[in-house]
Amino acid sequence: NAGVTQTPKFRVLKTGQSMTLLCAQDMNHEYMYWYRQDPGMGLRLIHYSVGEGTTAKGEVPDGYNVSRLKKQNFLLGLESAAPSQTSVYFCASSYAGQGYNEQFFGPGTRLTVL
Amino acid sequence: DQQVKQNSPSLSVQEGRISILNCDYTNSMFDYFLWYKKYPAEGPTFLISISSIKDKNEDGRFTVFLNKSAKHLSLHIVPSQPGDSAVYFCAASGGATQGGSEKLVFGKGTKLTVNP
């Protein structure tokens, strides 16, 4: 049981390049999330999904797109990377059920945009 | 506008003493609160949570207190150990009031250092 995994772990991009970050979970969770963490800013929600085929905007969605074609995968895309998108990106997932359920986080992807 | 505030960026305590990490929130619709712990180069891990219907939840050395009238919660670690040195994030959720998506709003974190 790997939990939440993220690919890649590190990436360096040039301004204007595109890339896709992959998140996979093997816990059969309905909900998945993408966050970014910047120094002194905590974790900010980019996009999230409440089930296969659904996506919704979070707090800081601009410049990113997401897709949830399979329940276990949640992809985060940067179409034209900008230096402001240099950050550590975390994916998380949670079970959908009665009451609140904790979110489980992946190990993160450190992205640098030059 | 920060809805969840952790006003102390850092805290340093001696091993064996109590660590108290504080968190304030502004949104009265929040009804569930969580603490996450994060080591460098790792993802956050869930530590402890509390529902708004309670004022205290305890799990081993970790206790979370909730004061709804003051919109304040705190995490107590007793006794503190060097392995507790990490960044602690407070998070809040509106649960069903946020459309059932269970979105979390995080504070900026407090870096705890426990000195041997």
Side-chain angles (χ1 to χ4, degrees):
Chain A
N1 194 337
V4 179
T5 58
Q6 293 182 232
T7 309
K9 288 184 169 52
F10 303 93
R11 186 72 186 268
V12 179
L13 289 178
K14 294 182 179 178
T15 297
Q17 287 185 318
S18 63
M19 78 163 295
T20 300
L21 282 68
L22 171 64
C23 175
Q25 53 94 5
D26 60 4
M27 296 174 282
N28 202 33
H29 285 168
E30 286 292 333
Y31 297 165
M32 296 188 74
Y33 313 82
W34 275 107
Y35 293 90
R36 61 178 287 172
Q37 185 194 12
D38 302 294
M41 295 297 292
L43 289 151
R44 293 183 293 171
L45 183 64
I46 304 171
H47 286 281
Y48 64 98
S49 168
V50 299
E52 182 178 323
T54 75
T55 62
K57 294 180 179 179
E59 180 187 355
V60 288
D62 294 343
Y64 305 95
N65 56 75
V66 287
S67 63
R68 183 98 181 269
L69 298 180
K70 293 182 179 181
K71 184 177 182 179
Q72 64 268 31
N73 295 337
F74 196 28
L75 278 64
L76 178 71
L78 287 73
E79 289 188 349
S80 180
S84 61
Q85 293 177 305
T86 293
S87 187
V88 181
Y89 292 86
F90 290 101
C91 176
S93 69
S94 68
Y95 173 70
Q98 285 195 335
Y100 186 85
N101 295 283
E102 68 180 90
Q103 292 182 16
F104 293 81
F105 283 81
T109 295
R110 183 174 295 274
L111 175 66
T112 302
V113 182
L114 302 175
Chain B
D1 181 30
Q2 256 190 292
Q3 297 187 72
V4 177
K5 300 178 184 179
Q6 294 178 257
N7 292 320
S8 298
S10 63
L11 174 68
S12 182
V13 299
Q14 285 299 120
E15 180 178 5
R17 305 294 290 269
I18 185 172
S19 295
I20 300 177
L21 294 91
N22 294 304
C23 179
D24 297 293
Y25 62 96
T26 58
N27 190 338
S28 59
M29 299 304 288
F30 288 146
D31 59 5
Y32 204 89
F33 305 89
L34 307 88
W35 286 94
Y36 279 82
K37 177 179 181 178
K38 185 184 179 305
Y39 292 118
E42 295 184 10
T45 56
F46 170 75
L47 189 58
I48 193 169
S49 63
I50 187 166
S51 164
S52 60
I53 63 173
K54 295 185 176 181
D55 55 16
K56 176 183 175 181
N57 189 26
E58 195 171 352
D59 183 3
R61 297 185 296 113
F62 303 90
T63 303
V64 57
F65 296 92
L66 175 62
N67 182 333
K68 284 178 58 180
S69 61
K71 294 190 178 68
H72 176 83
L73 61 155
S74 60
L75 174 68
H76 293 211
I77 306 174
V78 184
S80 300
Q81 300 174 354
D84 296 329
S85 297
V87 176
Y88 290 79
F89 290 101
C90 172
S93 172
T97 62
Q98 292 196 36
S101 66
E102 300 180 347
K103 291 186 292 183
L104 289 177
V105 178
F106 283 86
K108 294 183 177 182
T110 296
K111 183 177 182 180
L112 173 66
T113 302
V114 181
N115 301 301

